[in-house]
Amino acid sequence: MERCGAGGAGSIELAMATFEARIEITHRPGILDPQGANVERALPALGYDNVSEVRVGKSIRLVLDAPDAAAAEVQVEEMCRRLLANPVIEHYAIELTSTVEASR
Amino acid sequence: MSVRVGVVVFPGTNCELDVVEAVERLGATGELLWHADPDLHGSDALVVPGGFAHGDYLRTGAIARFSPIMDSVRAFAEQGGPVVGICNGFQVLTEAGLLPGALQKNNGLKFVCDTVTLRIETSASPLTLLTSPGDEIRIPINHFEGNYVCDAATLERLRAEDRVVFRYVENPNGSLDDIAGICSERRNVVGLMPHPERASDALLGSADGVALLRSLLTTAVADLAAAG
């Protein structure tokens, strides 16, 4: 089994903060997005014929504890690359926000 | 001694018994391999069959790739053992990095369930050893995510290295370059969306899958002989 060792947040002595990550996953440019293409064909049927470049993706929200924002970002990026997205066809964008500060 | 074909079973796999039945009718022994057990039980060839491994949650094959058995499948492939991924098994092998590219939703978002004509493009693969390039065969397909995609450089390599094993005569799903199946750089790992095990008897509408499965067994026997 591959194991995830990112973040280095093993020590309980570290002051930890809680972060919320919102990850948006879409098709990579140049890769046909069948769902986006279908929606794009459907909208003009309702009269919205000024719409183009429709992309349908996935949104994943998660909460994680990490020593700081940089460590959280590194871990979320790694999780995206290894599981949450398929880099062969998908592009991901991460938005990280700090939520509750906590010392443990 | 009969050839042992290990058939990987994830939670949600549903074509494993069809594969076992089809290979046993050709004289092999089919052995179900539960995904949580990394032991391949002396398999001479491996099949990752169709279904919905781990519910296909997140993406098809995305979770299955982390099942304990996959490290053994990877090691078996690295040693040159024949590995075939059928339908969902093809999706699992691409997610696991054993085959390049990815399979995404069919064009037009249409689930296709049909028997289609495939053209065999190379006989240099464990599934097509006993066939000839240009042969046309009738094999069932049954998938929502069978639309093969890869980047331009990968497609170039697949073509240049004669690694497109099967093409659809009439593209049913938008698959790039009509690709229905490909093989690895070493040629011992093959993935395809169509189901040869469902075309293993005329009673099923086609027996064209028999030549493919027989090719797999012949490859495994040759590998055994080569290993002494």
Side-chain angles (χ1 to χ4, degrees), chain B residues 40-56:
Chain B
L40 300 181
H41 296 275
S43 298
D44 304 311
L46 294 177
V47 175
V48 186
F52 301 85
H54 294 273
D56 276 352

Side-chain angles (χ1 to χ4, degrees), chain B:
Chain B
M1 197 186 81
S2 72
V3 175
R4 293 176 77 84
V5 179
V7 182
V8 179
V9 183
F10 300 101
T13 296
N14 61 20
C15 298
E16 70 274 22
L17 295 179
D18 306 56
V19 174
V20 167
E21 168 77 14
V23 298
E24 292 201 334
R25 287 169 56 128
L26 298 175
T29 302
E31 170 105 26
L32 297 179
L33 304 173
W34 182 239
H35 78 111
D37 178 3
D39 190 345
L40 300 181
H41 296 275
S43 298
D44 304 311
L46 294 177
V47 175
V48 186
F52 301 85
H54 294 273
D56 276 352
Y57 294 130
L58 191 62
R59 291 182 308 280
T60 59
I63 314 279
R65 169 187 152 204
F66 294 100
S67 277
I69 199 168
M70 288 309 293
D71 284 341
S72 308
V73 172
R74 186 173 290 105
F76 183 83
E78 280 167 4
Q79 286 159 23
V83 179
V84 175
I86 300 169
C87 196
N88 189 228
F90 185 13
Q91 296 161 344
V92 171
L93 294 181
T94 56
E95 280 281 342
L98 288 169
L99 290 169
L103 292 138
Q104 64 155 337
K105 287 186 174 63
N106 296 342
N107 265 11
L109 300 182
K110 196 170 175 185
F111 186 99
V112 286
C113 179
D114 201 358
T115 297
V116 298
T117 305
L118 302 180
R119 189 172 57 247
I120 290 171
E121 302 289 13
T122 174
S123 54
S125 91
L127 260 193
T128 52
L129 186 71
L130 305 178
T131 65
S132 304
D135 283 358
E136 292 194 353
I137 57 175
R138 297 277 295 163
I139 305 282
I141 54 171
N142 186 32
H143 60 245
F144 190 34
E145 284 105 349
N147 182 354
Y148 183 80
V149 282
C150 63
D151 60 34
T154 304
L155 180 62
E156 186 67 24
R157 277 195 66 185
L158 290 174
R159 285 174 175 163
E161 296 170 5
D162 192 28
R163 286 166 56 192
V164 176
V165 181
F166 305 97
R167 279 198 173 88
Y168 299 108
V169 170
E170 278 181 57
N171 194 329
N173 56 23
S175 197
L176 186 66
D177 200 23
D178 302 331
I179 288 174
I182 56 169
C183 68
S184 62
E185 195 173 352
R186 227 177 132 175
R187 315 199 73 82
N188 59 312
V189 181
V190 180
L192 76 167
M193 290 312 297
H195 286 268
E197 80 281 8
R198 295 190 192 170
S200 56
D201 192 296
L203 200 60
L204 299 174
S206 168
D208 288 352
V210 172
L212 307 185
L213 297 172
R214 209 186 284 286
S215 292
L216 177 64
L217 303 183
T218 304
T219 302
V221 169
D223 287 354
L224 280 176

Side-chain angles (χ1 to χ4, degrees), chain A residues 1 27 31-32 34-35 38 58 60 82-86 88-90, chain B residues 58-59 62 65-66 68 71 95 101-102 104-109 149:
Chain A
M1 282 293 279
H27 279 65
I31 297 281
L32 180 75
Q35 292 187 92
N38 238 36
K58 261 179 243 178
I60 298 174
R82 296 181 62 196
L83 175 66
L84 302 178
N86 180 349
V88 174
I89 50 171
E90 293 171 332
Chain B
L58 191 62
R59 291 182 308 280
R65 169 187 152 204
F66 294 100
D71 284 341
E95 280 281 342
Q104 64 155 337
K105 287 186 174 63
N106 296 342
N107 265 11
L109 300 182
V149 282

Side-chain angles (χ1 to χ4, degrees), chain A:
Chain A
M1 282 293 279
E2 291 179 59
R3 293 249 173 247
C4 175
S11 168
I12 53 167
E13 301 301 322
L14 282 173
M16 298 291 270
T18 301
F19 298 90
E20 182 180 308
R22 287 179 183 275
I23 302 151
E24 191 185 272
I25 299 170
T26 48
H27 279 65
R28 277 175 49 175
I31 297 281
L32 180 75
D33 167 9
Q35 292 187 92
N38 238 36
V39 172
E40 193 166 322
R41 279 196 301 271
L43 287 169
L46 298 175
Y48 303 108
D49 43 20
N50 56 344
V51 179
S52 61
E53 294 178 44
V54 178
R55 309 292 269 176
V56 174
K58 261 179 243 178
S59 169
I60 298 174
R61 176 195 164 277
L62 56 86
V63 169
L64 76 164
D65 295 335
D68 53 48
E73 181 95 29
V74 166
Q75 185 184 331
V76 174
E77 210 279 333
E78 182 180 307
M79 293 191 301
C80 284
R81 209 173 55 240
R82 296 181 62 196
L83 175 66
L84 302 178
N86 180 349
V88 174
I89 50 171
E90 293 171 332
H91 173 268
Y92 52 85
I94 300 165
E95 190 190 315
L96 200 67
T97 50
S98 176
T99 53
V100 189
E101 294 283 341
S103 186
R104 297 186 187 171

